[in-house]
Amino acid sequence: MSPAGETIGLIAGSGRFPFLVAQEARRLGQRVFAVGLAGVTDGALAGAVDELQVFKLGQVSAPLAALQRAGVRRAVLAGKVQHVSVFGGILPDLRAVRILAGLKDRRTDTILAAVVEEFRKEGIEIISSATHLAHLLAVPGCMSRRAPTREESSDIEFGWRAAKALAGVDIGQSVVVRDRTVVAAEAMEGTDAALIRAGELVRSRAGSGKTALVLVKVAKPRQDFRFDLPVLGLDTLKTMEAAGATAVAMEAGKTLLFDKEAFLQTADRMGLAVVGVEDGRSGAGGAPRDAGRST
Amino acid sequence: MSPAGETIGLIAGSGRFPFLVAQEARRLGQRVFAVGLAGVTDGALAGAVDELQVFKLGQVSAPLAALQRAGVRRAVLAGKVQHVSVFGGILPDLRAVRILAGLKDRRTDTILAAVVEEFRKEGIEIISSATHLAHLLAVPGCMSRRAPTREESSDIEFGWRAAKALAGVDIGQSVVVRDRTVVAAEAMEGTDAALIRAGELVRSRAGSGKTALVLVKVAKPRQDFRFDLPVLGLDTLKTMEAAGATAVAMEAGKTLLFDKEAFLQTADRMGLAVVGVEDGRSGAGGAPRDAGRST
């Protein structure tokens, strides 16, 4: 938790993540100075923070100076910025050029780590993106009313190893499993597209409405909490329903549920099993917790 | 190579693979007795072999007896049989039930290994599916006129590690790479669908016609040559062109090119780089061979 009265920096990508951070920071009495990216950050964020300044992707000096002027000492990275090198078309400033020139590769995590280091040198520490959102982290065990069936548990356990291997080589962080077979593996298209593909594939082959898919989403083996924690939200539940997925497993303590209460209520209404898994523990898809829901 | 005069068994899945095995076996003077699967094997195979008998998927005793009656001592598995457990709807005979009951899991390779063992007990040896097709195997080095660019080589090297990780956990055997990022990872949808997805994804985000994708296809880390070697054919080249892929790398000695001569001619006409890689060797995407094309 951050002290009240502090001006916290919020470097905002797309989606709901920056809004939730801003909301919680202000609830804690912090002032929120946000830096947005043109074409990426939702403009509505201006209404949820104390100040929003928008910069072009590729600029480092200008937003850094703005954060310093606002008195920011600690900042959070929140929300997605699509993988830059694939899109091209950005105009890096001199500082960004210098950072890029010093990189061993152009992986997102490599770029972010270099940017974080640059900020640190200028007196701004990038802190865990879960700092304000600990209450939204998945907990270990069954979080839904319905526990996974034996088949679902077995698919979760199988999918866990597969997803960890995928994440370990930076391909993606989700797999969609049925009957101990990976039907779809996520790369750049995202979790929802992988779910839809898996649903179509199984329906087209099985010729039946029941697809009985299981979604498994993991953190990277060396997940840096400052960058891009895995996130699941209501959209994913809707996609799961459309694809015919009946259970979802995620990494406890390393996955954010947006918004957790509504997420679990909706999952219960849909009859889905929602499981938090601690990596390295056996019984990945185990029985529901005796203690029941922890929210 | 198999001796002339032998009656070779051909257990035929879908696609061109069984046709190519039959063609080469007969060229070698072998008699080909084929066992087909209803709804899977192309009926036209009857015209390419000495005898074709068709059985239902899930039957083991009847095709085994048919092979024995035909005097078959050695047989080849050729062509795809889609993953059975995902589709359901098959009616296993008693022998198949007994085999399935004894399995540690339902992975395709596990099922096939058990069936192979059952055949062995009955005096029929399943031999490498490349036995008749050694001339179609990819060779190490650059097989196309155009060598991969430095960027393509670097994407091949990056994709190789990713694809091997994917294959190591039985997810799939292909990745589509751009700029040292895996854009699409293949699971059950197949290589062509992954290529198309990658092309659409990069076009939709980059907003440009140039996608500059690289396809990397590998064998499993412990590839059993009796089952389902990776295959690339003219269809894949057409899909590469449609998706905007400019280079393809595959595992030398463990990937079949259907039909190799036409494949390489077409690739040259399209200006694609085609590279055979020996796993564990450095310089995966290296320069074209001095010796030039080896066909």
Side-chain angles (χ1 to χ4, degrees), chain A residues 151-153 155-156 175-178 195 212-216 244-249:
Chain A
E151 287 70 29
E152 286 166 342
S153 292
D155 280 349
I156 288 170
V175 294
V176 187
V177 180
R178 175 178 152 146
L195 267 171
L213 296 165
V214 168
L215 170 64
V216 179
T246 56
V248 52

Side-chain angles (χ1 to χ4, degrees), chain B residues 142 287-293:
Chain B
C142 182
R289 304 179 93 191
D290 292 336
R293 181 174 297 181

Side-chain angles (χ1 to χ4, degrees), chain B residues 51-262:
Chain B
E51 191 170 346
L52 170 67
Q53 290 189 14
V54 177
F55 300 89
K56 283 187 189 143
L57 198 59
Q59 286 186 283
V60 175
S61 287
L64 193 49
L67 288 162
Q68 286 175 319
R69 275 195 307 271
V72 167
R73 309 284 301 174
R74 307 198 308 155
V76 174
L77 295 172
K80 285 250 176 211
V81 179
Q82 292 182 314
H83 194 285
V84 175
S85 63
V86 170
F87 315 54
I90 69 158
L91 200 66
D93 66 15
L94 283 176
R95 197 160 196 150
V97 168
R98 192 167 49 68
I99 293 172
L100 288 171
L103 298 179
K104 65 179 195 320
D105 62 56
R106 299 281 172 105
R107 290 171 43 224
T108 309
D109 281 9
T110 309
I111 297 174
L112 285 175
V115 171
V116 162
E117 173 58 17
E118 196 74 15
F119 276 54
R120 194 195 57 75
K121 281 192 227 155
E122 298 284 344
I124 295 172
E125 185 198 356
I126 305 294
I127 60 176
S128 164
S129 56
T131 303
H132 296 83
L133 304 181
H135 57 295
L136 300 182
L137 286 170
V139 297
C142 182
M143 291 178 277
S144 54
R145 286 223 185 86
R146 182 170 79 72
T149 63
R150 209 160 62 93
E151 287 70 29
E152 287 167 341
S153 291
S154 143
D155 280 348
I156 289 170
E157 218 169 305
F158 175 87
W160 195 265
R161 287 190 296 275
K164 278 288 176 185
L166 203 70
V169 287
D170 264 322
I171 294 180
Q173 294 174 249
S174 304
V175 293
V176 188
V177 180
R178 175 178 154 147
D179 212 2
R180 275 158 293 170
T181 302
V182 175
V183 180
E186 173 201 21
M188 207 184 287
E189 74 279 18
T191 304
D192 286 6
L195 267 170
I196 292 166
R197 177 167 78 248
E200 285 170 356
L201 206 59
V202 171
R203 276 201 197 94
S204 75
R205 293 194 182 178
S208 124
K210 280 195 71 175
T211 52
L213 296 165
V214 169
L215 171 64
V216 179
K217 187 161 190 167
V218 301
K220 293 178 188 175
R222 293 163 301 279
Q223 178 76 45
D224 188 324
F225 273 66
R226 297 169 304 178
F227 319 150
D228 201 21
L229 280 188
V231 169
L232 286 167
L234 289 170
D235 287 353
T236 305
L237 291 181
K238 281 178 212 152
T239 309
M240 282 179 65
E241 192 172 45
T246 56
V248 52
M250 67 208 71
E251 192 149 355
K254 296 184 182 175
T255 310
L256 291 164
L257 295 177
F258 290 174
D259 305 52
K260 193 172 180 183
E261 207 169 327

